[in-house]
Amino acid sequence: MSKLLDGKRIVIMGVANKRSIAWGCAQSLMDNGAEVILTYQNDRLKRQLDRIVPEGTTMIQCDVSEDENVEKTFNEIHEKFGNIDGVIHAIAYADKKTLEGGVIDVEKDGYNLAQDVSAYSFISVSRYASRIMNPSGSIATLTYMGSTRAIPSYNMMGVAKAALEANVRYIATDLGPKKIRVNAISAGAIKTLAVTGIKNHGDLLRESEARTVDGESVDTVQVGNVATFLMSDLSTGVTGDLIYADKGVHLLA
Ligand SMILES: NC(=O)c1ccc[n+]([C@@H]2O[C@H](COP(=O)([O-])OP(=O)(O)OC[C@H]3O[C@@H](n4cnc5c(N)ncnc54)[C@H](O)[C@@H]3O)[C@@H](O)[C@H]2O)c1
């Protein structure tokens, strides 16, 4: 039986471990027939990934903090495998000090680092990925509703997500003529490595779960299923947009 993503080669960036949203995306995409290429930040994470990914899965190191790493990664993918059909960017970072206080306490270095890794990297990824992408390609990133609301403790990450979402809208117009669409998934709060960097993340997770329509947090595969839709030809009419995968938290908050 044919599957939704048969014949599609998709790069998924930001798998740290089995709790990662990127891993939920990988599972959903593979179940739906995609060939996936995973990128990871460093060797330490690769050792963890070796334990969870199916044998034969392609994994490439890519630290997005340098443009040349991103360019090299997509060149390597092109040389080894040819064109791609999509990319999922599931990467964010802010240092501990920057996340400790309010936005009023954020200093220039911390601000620049958070913006660089969490928002600028989406520009460089879109630039180099789009150069090797087939028409009807799809680019997606992960965001959170702290971009438009002042969510307690989310602070600097909310500022970075606001920039990321603006990037989505502008890059969608840049890449429209190439028939490449660009969207964001706004996921509900899920306990991952990234979330544990947020001060009082226990409260954030509890509050979020309590505000879901059914009292249970969204899980990474449910978010991944939205990524499958965005990577599939079913979403060719959707671009520059944001889809919530948070079980209605944004409606009730
Ligand atoms: N977990 C949530 O509640 C939630 C909700 C909404 C959106 N998101 C977003 O989902 C995305 C994935 O996060 P997650 O929650 O799965 O956590 P995660 O910690 O599993 O993933 C974050 C990833 O970012 C990668 N990363 C950080 N700096 C990097 C760099 N310089 N180069 C390359 N990779 C780098 C990490 O290695 C890690 O794989 C993030 O953008 C996050 O903001 C998470």
Side-chain angles (χ1 to χ4, degrees), residues 104-229:
I104 195 77
D105 303 308
V106 171
E107 291 175 5
K108 193 181 277 203
D109 286 354
Y111 183 94
N112 287 344
L113 178 62
Q115 287 284 11
D116 186 24
V117 176
S118 314
Y120 170 73
S121 71
F122 185 64
I123 298 179
S124 61
V125 163
S126 299
R127 177 164 62 239
Y128 296 114
S130 63
R131 289 183 187 170
I132 65 160
M133 199 172 281
N134 289 319
S136 193
S138 178
I139 301 177
T141 188
L142 268 300
T143 189
Y144 180 62
M145 67 172 184
S147 58
T148 51
R149 292 162 191 228
I151 303 286
S153 302
Y154 201 64
N155 300 339
M156 181 58 215
M157 281 311 302
V159 177
K161 292 302 190 192
L164 177 69
E165 290 171 18
N167 286 340
V168 166
R169 291 186 284 273
Y170 282 100
I171 298 170
T173 65
D174 292 337
L175 295 180
K178 289 186 79 176
K179 303 268 181 236
I180 294 173
R181 61 199 185 277
V182 184
N183 292 288
I185 302 169
S186 188
I190 303 174
K191 190 169 182 192
T192 62
L193 202 61
V195 159
T196 56
I198 309 279
K199 197 174 70 169
N200 304 326
H201 59 268
D203 293 344
L204 181 76
L205 290 163
R206 268 189 301 278
E207 288 276 321
S208 178
E209 182 155 51
R211 285 172 155 81
T212 58
V213 290
D214 65 359
E216 287 173 24
S217 291
V218 71
D219 65 39
T220 58
V221 174
Q222 289 171 325
V223 177
N225 288 339
V226 178
T228 289
F229 162 70

Side-chain angles (χ1 to χ4, degrees), residues 35-48:
E35 173 192 343
V36 303
I37 297 170
L38 306 182
T39 77
Y40 58 91
Q41 184 182 359
N42 56 39
D43 284 339
R44 186 175 53 78
L45 295 178
K46 170 144 193 316
R47 285 193 289 279
Q48 303 201 31

